[in-house]
Amino acid sequence: MRRKNQDNKVAYAFILPWIIGFLCFTLFPIIFMVQQSLTNRKLNGVSKFIGLTNYKNMFRSSVFWNSLRVTIFFTIVMVVVTTIWAIIMALLLNSKQRFNGIFQFCYFLPSVVPTVALAYAFRTIFGKNAGLLNNILSMFAGRNIEVNWLYQQNTIYFVVFFITLFTYSTGQMMLIFRSGLSDVPKELYEASNLDGATFIQKFFHITLPMISPLILFNAVSGCVSALNGSFALLYPLTSENGDPNGSTQVLSLLIYKEAFSNMKVGYACALSVILFLVAAVFGGLIFAISKKTVYYED
Amino acid sequence: MKKVVSFLLAAVMMTGTLAGCGESQPSSSPQAAGSAAASTQASQDVSGQSITITTWNEPSKDDALNMYKQAEKATGVKVNVTVIPESDYSSKLGQMVSTKDASSDIMVVWENDLKNFAEAKGILPLDSYLKKSTIKTSDFIPAVSKLSGGMGATYGLPWCAATEILYYNKDMFKAAGIPLPTNNWKYEDFKAAAKKLTKNGVYGCALPNTQTWWAGIGGAGDKIYDPSNGQMVIGSGAVSFVKDCKEMVDAKVMPAPSSDTTDLFAAGKAAMAWQGSWNVGTYADKLSFNWDIASLPTNKVKYNTLHTGFYTINANSKKQTAAWKVIEYLMGEEGQTINSKASGNPSALKTIAAKGAWKVASAKKVTNWDAITDSLNSGIFGYTCLPSGVTNNAVSKFNSALLGQTTPEEAVKRASDYAAETIGY
């Protein structure tokens, strides 16, 4: 009995660093954020308890509802687009060919570039007058083409989702899928070949079910990345206002704007609570869907 | 062990709750200390002490034009300069005030932050220092006195008074046979000239920037900023100016808003531009064509926004007397003259500004220097007193109207609605 207690103490001692880190850097900030959302705290530190006023004001604000709508749309599309792209890239890299390592290096290279630098580079590419893309298009068309890629509502989403294909999150997904694909038993493909299965049939009936746990993992991490990491991508591209006309103003941009441009820290905390809940709902939904769709080998 | 973990969790929750739920009004002790410092330490020798000034402008690399280096020589106080990029400047200072950071002794504070920081008791009232000083606050341009008067005390002293003016390409005007702009130019003259100057891929005028949008709106008759309640006041003037700009964008007299950051005027692709007076120093002798300046054209009202920053003393500074000594030098004739020569911005002190040190020597193509003094007289502190989130949001909405994504009326309404729900928080 004494030995068992001793073992427990040692085990707790081992996990103590993690518990301290969790308490200080995760639990306390969350509790503090919720508590601050009930105050009118400004960036200069002046603060007074105001109950649920921030939430009442938020639910009356058309800016908030627009931002929530954009956040949900952006998250869903980004997760779908990046996951599909990562699977396609992983499938291509999984096929036997020469220079596979070089291809993998080239595909993954943009992913290790910091997102802010990547966004600024693409901002230059998608510029209206001096942008690289418009110059190339003009060269091929033989006339001056000036598409306002980042300021038109019908082109901005195309640009943003295109850039997400080169972010770290997508590159990481690709590597995870690649390792998952190499673990799919070869016998399954050999058996299906004997049955005359086509590539599409093999993909949907063998590959996809076998890597479905990885799809679940990547969908959850991609979702969190879209909700929290979108700031670093969108701020340099479309500013804190989510240009054009608020089309890209996700909640993380609005939180920054309220806290650091308008000095409304309490209100920004209330928005952060909503973002926290949105992330929780997305996570819950993905897990609920996965119960019916994810295949686990016993 | 469960008890230990439970106790730790409870302690963390209690700490968080107690830390935030209470009304965290900053202590008044630094304030009191500041007043005491002013009265008891004014005669103390501060030479040899070291202070830090926080600003967004890089000091001049030429020591003769570096006012901080000259302040060191004159006061014997070592001046360290911390430069924070303009885009993060206001929020970083806000965080410093919030956390009672004492690493900066002098903070150059923007118009819209001055009241906030005073409310948070993060900066000292300077009246007790001023009583024993040679700085004549009665000599400030009226707009500065008005701004300080609204706060019950003087919390900051303006480092300069920059204005907004019209820059024009003289060569293009002469080639088109259009009379050169004067300080009495009417808005209709400007629009007509812009139309005539538009040809061969050259725009008649660059798009207003985030600053000069407000000069156009103020000129069209809107008040923009109401000091009595701190609200943004825009309406028919804003709608009218946005409509004018949209017409010019549609007619390609002005470029459409885009992510491009090229200065079209400097690149010779726009015949005119409404910009801050500080660009005189930037352009100086660098432009390949003949250019000059004029006051912004007068629409319903002669209007432009004044820009400055205020020297303030951090209430948590341990070297307030030394900080004041340096401020006193920077606000004196020598300090202000060096500043004007380096930045091209006039002093906010009328008698010093009248001596004209702000006429940038290297800007030899400029002849109409009266444009600066004329703009200084008509300038007011307008949009710069509003939170930057509100004004940037409004400009974003105006740009949407120019691109046809919303109507000018809807853009102005949405900008006003957002301002109303944001200001007064």
Side-chain angles (χ1 to χ4, degrees), chain B residues 25-339:
Chain B
Q25 294 293 348
S27 156
S28 62
S29 56
Q31 193 94 359
S35 300
S39 56
T40 60
Q41 298 176 359
S43 58
Q44 273 186 12
D45 182 19
V46 291
S47 59
Q49 284 194 16
S50 174
I51 63 127
T52 300
I53 183 164
T54 304
T55 181
W56 68 96
N57 278 322
E58 282 287 347
S60 173
K61 289 186 175 68
D62 177 354
D63 277 5
L65 293 177
N66 184 329
M67 54 195 174
Y68 308 120
K69 289 268 184 210
Q70 298 306 319
E72 281 182 348
K73 283 184 193 166
T75 62
V77 177
K78 169 98 177 87
V79 182
N80 303 302
V81 184
T82 301
V83 178
I84 298 174
E86 198 169 337
S87 55
D88 296 326
Y89 190 70
S90 183
S91 60
K92 292 280 184 217
L93 285 197
Q95 288 163 45
M96 285 165 72
V97 168
S98 167
T99 55
K100 298 184 173 46
D101 186 310
S103 62
S104 180
D105 304 287
I106 299 173
M107 300 186 287
V108 189
V109 173
W110 287 345
E111 296 90 306
N112 59 323
D113 288 328
L114 195 64
K115 196 176 173 198
N116 283 335
F117 293 175
E119 265 174 22
K121 296 186 170 61
I123 51 177
L124 293 181
L126 304 177
D127 302 273
S128 48
Y129 288 109
L130 283 165
K131 272 181 199 163
K132 296 168 189 170
S133 167
T134 52
I135 301 169
K136 287 181 188 160
T137 51
S138 58
D139 193 31
F140 281 134
I141 55 171
V144 168
S145 308
K146 205 172 163 187
L147 192 71
S148 298
M151 291 192 292
T154 305
Y155 284 91
L157 299 173
W159 78 294
C160 71
T163 65
E164 291 163 352
I165 48 177
L166 175 81
Y167 292 75
Y168 65 91
N169 186 318
K170 234 176 185 173
D171 295 341
M172 287 184 187
F173 269 79
K174 283 183 178 167
I178 301 169
L180 299 179
T182 66
N183 297 339
N184 296 318
W185 230 30
K186 299 289 175 205
Y187 184 64
E188 294 306 320
D189 299 332
F190 158 75
K191 283 206 294 184
K195 206 172 171 181
K196 281 185 194 167
L197 288 159
T198 303
K199 53 185 146 187
N200 305 329
V202 172
Y203 295 105
C205 186
L207 197 68
N209 59 26
T210 49
Q211 294 139 359
T212 48
W213 262 110
W214 303 98
I217 292 168
D222 281 351
K223 195 175 179 183
I224 295 180
Y225 170 66
D226 183 351
S228 67
N229 56 15
Q231 281 294 336
M232 182 169 89
V233 189
I234 57 171
S236 57
V239 172
S240 148
F241 187 64
V242 175
K243 275 183 179 170
D244 278 350
C245 289
K246 177 155 173 50
E247 278 173 19
M248 287 193 264
V249 167
D250 290 346
K252 301 212 183 298
V253 172
M254 270 184 186
S258 76
S259 57
D260 293 317
T261 50
T262 317
D263 180 343
L264 293 176
F265 176 74
K269 290 187 175 177
M272 292 184 280
W274 295 21
Q275 292 179 354
S277 56
W278 51 90
N279 276 351
V280 172
T282 309
Y283 294 155
D285 55 355
K286 294 184 188 74
L287 302 188
S288 58
F289 51 85
N290 288 307
W291 59 281
D292 208 340
I293 56 173
S295 299
L296 290 182
T298 305
N299 192 355
K300 288 180 182 165
V301 184
K302 196 173 176 75
Y303 188 104
N304 80 92
T305 311
L306 291 179
H307 298 257
T308 190
F310 290 85
Y311 291 124
T312 65
I313 298 180
N314 186 345
N316 297 292
S317 164
K318 303 281 186 295
K319 298 162 191 163
Q320 293 169 354
T321 308
W324 172 252
K325 195 94 178 166
V326 172
I327 289 179
E328 205 169 26
Y329 171 81
L330 294 171
M331 289 305 300
E333 182 158 0
E334 194 175 309
Q336 287 286 293
T337 303
I338 294 171
N339 183 13

Side-chain angles (χ1 to χ4, degrees), chain A residues 35 44 61 129 148 151 243 258, chain B residues 20 257 260 396 405 418 421:
Chain A
Q35 179 271 316
N44 64 15
S61 166
N129 296 315
N148 207 350
Y151 269 76
D243 288 325
E258 295 297 352
Chain B
D260 293 317
S396 168
Q405 292 158 358
Y418 183 69
E421 73 181 47

